[in-house]
Amino acid sequence: MQKPASSKPLHPLLLQQLSGATDTTPGTPLHAALQEVSRTYERVDKYLDAELGMASKLLPLLRLDVAGKVVEWNSQLAQMTGVPPAEAVGVPFIQLVLPEARGRVVRMQANALQGHISQAVHVPLLLKNGWQATLSLGSSPHYDVQGRIVGVISLAQVLSPLAPADEPA
């Protein structure tokens, strides 16, 4: 497989138009730019996966389908949370979240499925072993090759280490 063709840089006038843009509804310049970023990510991901075998292995990554079920829980995220991918994949993500934060997660997922990006959403997880950890998730829509939104992709950062649930995380 060849390296993915680099996309043309955005035209300076488009960059000027996008600076400060916050409207990500379909048809807006920012939405189009975000779709291009997502498509570029997919090309790079496929290249890394095929050529280097390291796609999504460097950063803690979580991917959900449109129903909110975990379809990818990479090894970095497993290491941070203590939950192996086999226990997370196929599970509705909301089941891993503490009840008081579920509304935030539902809003984050809904926003991403409408084409919007969420930054730094704090998500406390209650793990099977009774421990908890708090993640900060940056989430965006996950697009297929036809440009349709097929789920949510999130990068995670640990805000609190693993701790027993009866201790503050």
Side-chain angles (χ1 to χ4, degrees), residues 50-155:
E51 294 294 319
L52 306 175
M54 60 189 297
S56 74
K57 293 181 183 172
L58 302 175
L59 299 171
L61 183 77
L62 163 69
R63 200 161 41 93
L64 309 174
D65 64 13
V66 293
K69 287 188 179 178
V70 176
V71 292
E72 183 174 355
W73 184 277
N74 74 358
S75 60
Q76 293 297 325
L77 193 56
Q79 185 177 28
M80 289 175 10
T81 62
V83 177
E87 289 181 22
V89 172
V91 174
F93 182 60
I94 201 79
Q95 288 182 4
L96 299 173
V97 177
L98 288 175
E100 62 268 16
R102 290 181 177 168
R104 270 182 288 184
V105 171
V106 168
R107 283 189 300 279
M108 176 190 73
Q109 291 174 341
N111 286 338
L113 292 173
Q114 293 173 9
H116 304 284
I117 293 177
S118 300
Q119 297 177 357
V121 176
H122 295 188
V123 179
L125 302 178
L126 182 60
L127 309 173
K128 280 189 175 181
N129 60 8
W131 288 42
Q132 63 186 44
T134 301
L135 303 179
S136 177
L137 295 179
S139 299
S140 67
H142 185 234
Y143 295 92
D144 66 9
V145 293
Q146 286 82 31
R148 295 177 301 211
I149 296 174
V150 294
V152 177
I153 190 162
S154 299
L155 291 176

Side-chain angles (χ1 to χ4, degrees), residues 6-75:
S6 59
S7 299
K8 288 190 222 175
L10 292 175
H11 190 277
L13 290 176
L14 180 57
L15 285 174
Q16 182 181 5
Q17 188 179 17
L18 292 177
S19 67
T22 57
D23 184 7
T24 58
T25 55
T28 63
L30 183 55
H31 183 263
L34 292 173
Q35 282 187 310
E36 181 57 32
V37 168
S38 182
R39 284 190 291 273
T40 300
Y41 171 81
E42 288 297 318
R43 287 193 301 270
V44 170
D45 189 50
K46 286 178 185 175
Y47 168 74
L48 289 173
D49 208 21
E51 294 294 319
L52 306 175
M54 60 189 297
S56 74
K57 293 181 183 172
L58 302 175
L59 299 171
L61 183 77
L62 163 69
R63 200 161 41 93
L64 309 174
D65 64 13
V66 293
K69 287 188 179 178
V70 176
V71 292
E72 183 174 355
W73 184 277
N74 74 358
S75 60

